[in-house]
Amino acid sequence: MEFPEVAKFDIQKINNPDIQGTGYQEGEQLGYSNLTAYIRHRDHYKCANPSCKNKDTHTVLQVHHLGLGQNPPDRSNKPGNLLTLCVKCHTPSNHKKGKFLHGCQPKVKSFKPETFMSTLYRRLIYLTGATETFGYNTQYKRDLLELPKSHHNDAFVIAGGVHQTRSTPLRIEQVRRNKRSMEQFYDAKYIDNRDGSIKSGSGLSSGRRKRNKNLSGENLRAYRGQKTSMGQRRIKRKKYPYSPSDLVRFEGNIYQVIGMQNLGTGVKLKNYPGVKNKVVNVRKVQPLLRRGGICEVIN
């Protein structure tokens, strides 16, 4: 079988005599998106210029080679040689002598904790049989589908989704089922002689001790004025009908329970119109939903 002549010479084979097969599709920029994704993450997706005045809501970030200002220039792509800059700071004028980027060599953050987690998660993948992926791969697939950045869109493309149609994400939270503490302490209240405000006893403490730690803070006991309420301990003697996060109906509307008061005779409701936390008689509310464990988030 004869093969057609496609060119007089092979440029890629000149640079790499051992190249073959898929190596022709894997150019010098292979893996560069992975590297730039790491640099932007390391720099917290912000311009590293401390004097940056870019106020754009959606700032375009680029990756800058620090070593280009050195003599001889370091053109390597090692992470310590790269920095995140916005387009308004990454300009030719800032590369000139005496400007911000000329000879710039800031200290970059260490990723020792992240390296430890990378080692640990490989063990978890081995034990569970899962398939690994990386953020830059997720971003590439998400961009192909023209999807905005979000946790549920990331999960969609990681799971192999190929269509742009989305459903509303299910947001869940863990709600405590029972409060095991049988005793509740309420701190005494005092008038602060400095400004007349009412503060708790712990807020006007001596500042010398906190449990088993000796502190050297200011002694604020001298500012305690008249006591407005006594400190007290209350013991819960029975199980209350409602727990925090339960849903009840009151005056035709649905409210979320914050807690119980007055030995279980009052229910504190969240977001009652005109009142921050309204307490109503427990007999005036109707139970709707007992929430505990893994539940859907309620706005």
Side-chain angles (χ1 to χ4, degrees):
M1 179 179 179
E2 295 184 0
F3 293 94
E5 181 181 286
V6 295
K8 290 185 177 296
F9 43 82
D10 186 343
I11 291 293
Q12 290 182 274
K13 204 169 188 66
I14 293 175
N15 294 326
N16 180 13
D18 297 326
I19 192 172
Q20 58 180 339
T22 59
Y24 283 95
Q25 286 81 43
E26 299 173 352
E28 295 179 353
Q29 297 299 314
L30 179 66
Y32 188 68
S33 59
N34 178 31
L35 176 63
T36 55
Y38 163 75
I39 299 301
R40 292 187 178 95
H41 172 77
R42 184 200 65 189
D43 295 342
H44 307 290
Y45 300 96
K46 296 180 180 178
C47 179
N49 181 2
S51 301
C52 178
K53 298 180 180 180
N54 191 345
K55 304 297 182 182
D56 293 347
T57 304
H58 302 288
T59 304
V60 178
L61 298 175
Q62 299 177 343
V63 176
H64 165 71
H65 280 79
L66 295 169
L68 297 183
Q70 300 175 4
N71 189 17
D74 182 0
R75 300 180 181 274
S76 66
N77 288 335
K78 60 184 180 182
N81 197 33
L82 301 173
L83 197 67
T84 304
L85 294 173
C86 71
V87 292
K88 293 187 178 181
C89 293
H90 195 209
T91 59
S93 60
N94 277 338
H95 286 74
K96 296 181 179 179
K97 189 174 183 179
K99 295 295 184 178
F100 163 65
L101 294 179
H102 186 80
C104 175
Q105 195 67 42
K107 184 179 180 180
V108 296
K109 175 183 178 294
S110 169
F111 268 74
K112 289 184 179 179
E114 288 77 2
T115 302
F116 171 77
M117 287 304 301
S118 297
T119 304
L120 179 63
Y121 94 87
R122 292 184 183 277
R123 178 62 177 171
L124 296 176
I125 288 178
Y126 171 77
L127 293 175
T128 60
T131 302
E132 67 179 17
T133 187
F134 293 93
Y136 71 98
N137 288 327
T138 303
Q139 179 185 355
Y140 174 74
K141 296 175 182 177
R142 192 179 64 242
D143 291 343
L144 287 179
L145 296 177
E146 299 181 351
L147 296 176
K149 167 66 176 177
S150 68
H151 290 302
H152 60 279
N153 283 337
D154 285 351
F156 174 78
V157 298
I158 290 173
V162 295
H163 299 289
Q164 287 90 337
T165 303
R166 295 283 75 73
S167 60
T168 303
L170 176 64
R171 299 168 56 228
I172 61 174
E173 62 178 343
Q174 184 171 1
V175 179
R176 182 173 60 182
R177 297 181 185 274
N178 294 290
K179 184 178 180 180
R180 295 179 176 85
S181 175
M182 300 300 294
E183 183 182 25
Q184 187 72 36
F185 172 73
Y186 296 90
D187 204 352
K189 303 289 185 180
Y190 299 87
I191 295 178
D192 190 335
N193 289 331
R194 294 172 295 180
D195 54 12
S197 62
I198 298 178
K199 295 183 179 178
S200 65
S202 59
L204 296 173
S205 65
S206 65
R208 295 294 183 268
R209 177 172 291 277
K210 182 178 180 181
R211 296 198 177 204
N212 62 340
K213 295 182 180 179
N214 291 324
L215 306 177
S216 58
E218 181 184 2
N219 186 356
L220 301 179
R221 283 181 177 267
Y223 302 115
R224 287 187 181 183
Q226 181 180 0
K227 182 182 290 187
T228 61
S229 64
M230 298 290 294
Q232 55 182 302
R233 286 182 169 88
R234 294 183 180 177
I235 298 177
K236 184 169 65 175
R237 302 184 185 277
K238 62 180 180 180
K239 183 176 178 61
Y240 295 150
Y242 301 108
S243 298
S245 296
D246 287 353
L247 297 183
V248 296
R249 186 185 301 276
F250 176 67
E251 295 179 345
N253 297 317
I254 299 176
Y255 296 98
Q256 191 171 351
V257 174
I258 298 177
M260 302 289 294
Q261 287 191 338
N262 303 326
L263 300 178
T265 60
V267 184
K268 185 183 290 186
L269 305 180
K270 183 178 181 180
N271 297 330
Y272 187 86
V275 182
K276 182 178 181 180
N277 297 318
K278 184 174 180 62
V279 179
V280 300
N281 191 296
V282 68
R283 298 178 180 179
K284 296 182 178 180
V285 301
Q286 297 175 343
L288 286 182
L289 179 64
R290 169 75 173 176
R291 301 183 74 238
I294 303 300
C295 304
E296 183 178 359
V297 174
I298 298 176
N299 296 323

